[in-house]
Amino acid sequence: MWGWFGGGTGAQKRKDAPKKAILDLRQQLDMLQKRERHLENQMSKQDDIARENISSNKTAARNALKRKKQLEHSLEQTTSTISMLEQQIYSIESANINQETLLAMKNAGAAMKQIHGKMNMDEVDKTMEQLREQHELSEEIGTAITSMPMTDPIDEDELESQLAALEQENLDEKMLKTGTVPVADSLNRLPAGPNGELKRASKAPVEEEDEEAELAKLQAEMAM
């Protein structure tokens, strides 16, 4: 459909026109640069001919210098044309770059307009507020999780009792190693023999009292 109205084809032609113009100019420039080198070579040859015949054949030398002058004129024209073509190529390339840059900027502007079409500052503020709320909620959850005790509270009194027992045990071990025995343990650490005798001596009066009580009880029963 675009082809019938020339829309698509025309736009493509306009886009390709700078490239085609630059290509044609470069081809022409290449041809002129070859002609420039050819003219320089011909001038060098005519100069050699003039030098060779300057003494023996002045007419030939004069004709060689004349041809050299003609070649110099053609060379000047060719060099001028080359310079003009190079300037044209530079101008077209710069204009094409500017056009492409402007088109890219227009496309970027249209893309940004399309992206921002459904966006406004109210939506942005609302979204940022939601993000802040969720962040605060996450912080509160993290604080609650880390502050919750995972075990039962420790009984400080029981802990102090265990600590005191350990200290006493450690003290007893040190005294045993140094040979010093606490007073509380001295009675329990007496020799076995004497200790047994003391215990038997203390038990004897008790046994005698029991025997006398039983004897008195028996006498009373016999009297009845």
Side-chain angles (χ1 to χ4, degrees):
M1 181 175 180
W2 284 102
W4 288 99
F5 292 96
T9 304
Q12 186 64 34
K13 285 183 178 179
R14 287 193 297 272
K15 184 177 181 180
D16 294 339
K19 297 180 181 179
K20 185 177 184 303
I22 292 173
L23 180 62
D24 293 342
L25 288 172
R26 288 192 181 280
Q27 290 177 350
Q28 187 67 21
L29 180 63
D30 183 63
M31 183 192 69
L32 289 174
Q33 288 174 342
K34 291 179 180 179
R35 176 176 173 77
E36 183 181 37
R37 290 191 294 271
H38 174 73
L39 291 173
E40 289 174 349
N41 291 333
Q42 291 299 319
M43 287 174 59
S44 179
K45 289 181 180 179
Q46 295 303 320
D47 185 71
D48 292 339
I49 292 173
R51 291 177 183 278
E52 290 175 359
N53 293 283
I54 189 64
S55 299
S56 58
N57 191 348
K58 290 185 178 182
T59 302
R62 183 180 292 107
N63 291 334
L65 290 176
K66 187 183 293 185
R67 288 191 295 271
K68 182 182 177 182
K69 287 290 184 181
Q70 293 174 350
L71 291 171
E72 285 180 353
H73 181 69
S74 297
L75 180 61
E76 289 176 358
Q77 290 180 340
T78 302
T79 302
S80 178
T81 304
I82 289 173
S83 178
M84 182 181 63
L85 289 180
E86 289 176 343
Q87 182 63 35
Q88 287 295 320
I89 291 172
Y90 173 77
S91 298
I92 294 174
E93 287 178 343
S94 298
N96 188 44
I97 290 173
N98 292 335
Q99 181 182 5
E100 294 293 335
T101 302
L102 181 61
L103 180 60
M105 293 175 67
K106 287 183 178 180
N107 292 336
M112 292 181 66
K113 185 177 180 181
Q114 183 178 2
I115 292 171
H116 294 157
K118 297 181 180 180
M119 295 178 62
N120 53 60
M121 288 307 300
D122 293 337
E123 290 292 331
V124 173
D125 293 338
K126 182 179 179 181
T127 301
M128 295 304 297
E129 182 64 26
Q130 291 176 351
L131 288 174
R132 282 192 291 269
E133 290 177 356
Q134 293 301 317
H135 179 71
E136 292 176 357
L137 178 60
S138 177
E139 291 289 336
E140 292 176 359
I141 292 173
T143 302
I145 291 174
T146 54
S147 62
M148 181 179 296
M150 302 303 293
T151 58
D152 295 334
I154 298 174
D155 188 349
E156 295 292 336
D157 294 337
E158 182 181 356
L159 187 64
E160 290 294 333
S161 299
Q162 293 178 358
L163 182 62
L166 289 176
E167 291 178 349
Q168 184 61 42
E169 183 179 348
N170 185 31
L171 181 60
D172 293 343
E173 289 180 357
K174 290 182 178 180
M175 288 181 175
L176 289 174
K177 290 180 179 179
T178 58
T180 304
V181 181
V183 176
D185 295 340
S186 59
L187 296 177
N188 295 328
R189 295 171 183 254
L190 291 175
N195 189 29
E197 293 177 357
L198 290 174
K199 288 182 179 180
R200 284 195 298 271
S202 62
K203 288 183 179 180
V206 177
E207 293 177 355
E208 291 179 356
E209 291 178 358
D210 293 338
E211 290 177 356
E212 290 179 356
E214 290 179 0
L215 182 60
K217 183 179 179 181
L218 182 59
Q219 290 176 352
E221 288 178 355
M222 290 177 65
M224 293 176 63

